Structures are given as C-alpha cells and as structure tokens.
Amino acid sequence: NVVAVYGLFAPPDSVGATPSINAVTQAASYSQDAVAPGELVAIFGSSLGPAAPVGTQLDGSGNVATSLADTQVLFDGVASPMIFASAGQVDAVVPFGVATGRVLAQVEYQGLASALFPVTVAPAVIGIFSADASGAGQAIALNQDGGINSPDNPAASGSVVTLWATGAGLLSPAGIDGAVDAGNRPQPVLPVLAQMGGQVADVLYAGGAPGMVEGVIQVNLRVPPASQTGAAVPVVLRVGNSFSQIGITLATRSP
C-alpha cells in the first residue's frame, strides 16, 4: 500500500519535549517549495510523535484518522488525515480546503504544540513515489500483466504501466479529507500529461487509486513505441504548471 511506504524510522526523542518542525516536504519527491491541496506531506523535526513508529489507522467512519498515537498535524488549525507518526517524521494529507497562498502548519503531540511553520500552497506540486522511498530512481510501478516494473522485469514498448503520485491538487468530484477510495475514483481538476524517455506518453487514466487515501493518484501510461528503452528510462508527469521530480525512472524493453 503506497500510503504506508513513507515511514522512515527516526531515533526516539525525549519524552515530553515540545515538537519542533524543521521541514515540510512533498512525501514523494521531498520537495520543500510548496504543498498542494490533498498532497501527502512528510514533516521532519524532533519530538513530533511517538518513539515507536505508528502507521495509518482508520476512524469509525472508515476514513483515515486525524489523530495517530496522540499526534496531529494541522494546517491553519484544520486537522489532517494522519499517515504515519514517529519522533522524527510525521506524514499527513494536506486538507483539500486549504487555499492557495500561505498557510501555517503545526504538529501537536501529547498536548504540546510546535511553533507555527509557514508553508506556501500551490495548485499542484506533483511527485511520483519511488520504489525505495528516496524520491529518486525506480518508480513504484506495475506492468500491464500486474508484475512489478524493475530492470529485471521491464515493460514492453506500447504496453501500459501503472504508477502512483501525489500533489495533483483539487479533485472532481471534490476530494474528501481522509476518504479511502472505494471505486468512485475522483480525478484531478488540472490536466495530467506525461513523458517517457523524452517522448509523449498517453495518459489513459489519472485519478483515485482503489484502497488508498484520496490525494494519492493512480496514473496509467502507455509506453511510447518510439521511446528509448532500458533499465532506467526517465518518466515525468505534468499537472498544470507543476512537473514531477527529476530522476524517476521506469524499466522498458522493445516489444
């Protein structure tokens, strides 16, 4: 499950210390430039949450809970769906209702609140999830036959690959904070385009991913027949004026 991938273990911090935010980053690319409505973010700092990491939990309504192990993330005071909590890192979903411009992020743990941390909000800040959670290299992707894309299992030119991203911005129908996609598959309001190996790749689908929190989008691409092939073919998504991070790759081969 993609939403559970981004728990990088951090050393435990002192109990009872006031949380401190060092950076608010895009959870797929780790960009610090801005965030977008519905984007999964990774927040780094100290005393942010429990010493023993805790993963996603659902509330009584079946949505991703906004409190995890006594930890909350707030944007302008609005509690965010929590993906992961630990002392050095917490992951959350930016509320869809944030307005573009400037918001104040804050982490609360066991009743203690961090200082307000200013963050820029943009319409889209797209990032592709990588297989090793580094923000670079091989993308988390499936080939058309359902096998995991890798240098040992490349996708054939002309076939379809599926990858996952976040930061596409507002959705239609409107995104619901913490909702787990059950087949309604909302799609980004902004257009989603793609390139592979410098060639335009047809986007066959871009929208909600079944079983994942809204804010993660699934993208189905057709490998361009004229694209270069190899173990590390660059892939780039564009959503509105936002481009995904440089260095994400897929493995492809001739048909």
Side-chain angles (χ1 to χ4, degrees), residues 7-10 50-55 69 84-87:
L8 305 182
F9 297 130
V54 179
F84 175 82
S86 73

Side-chain angles (χ1 to χ4, degrees), residues 211-241:
M212 297 190 186
V213 67
E214 290 192 7
V216 173
I217 65 165
Q218 174 182 319
V219 183
N220 298 346
L221 305 175
R222 188 174 300 281
V223 180
S227 171
Q228 70 184 82
T229 59
V233 177
V235 58
V236 177
L237 296 179
R238 177 179 179 178
V239 180
N241 292 324

Side-chain angles (χ1 to χ4, degrees), residues 150-175:
S150 72
D152 294 330
N153 189 32
S157 296
S159 68
V160 177
V161 292
T162 298
L163 51 80
W164 289 268
T166 191
L170 296 177
L171 304 176
S172 179

Side-chain angles (χ1 to χ4, degrees), residues 137-152:
Q138 172 71 44
I140 298 175
L142 296 179
N143 295 336
Q144 187 167 321
D145 63 2
I148 296 173
N149 183 269
S150 72
D152 294 330

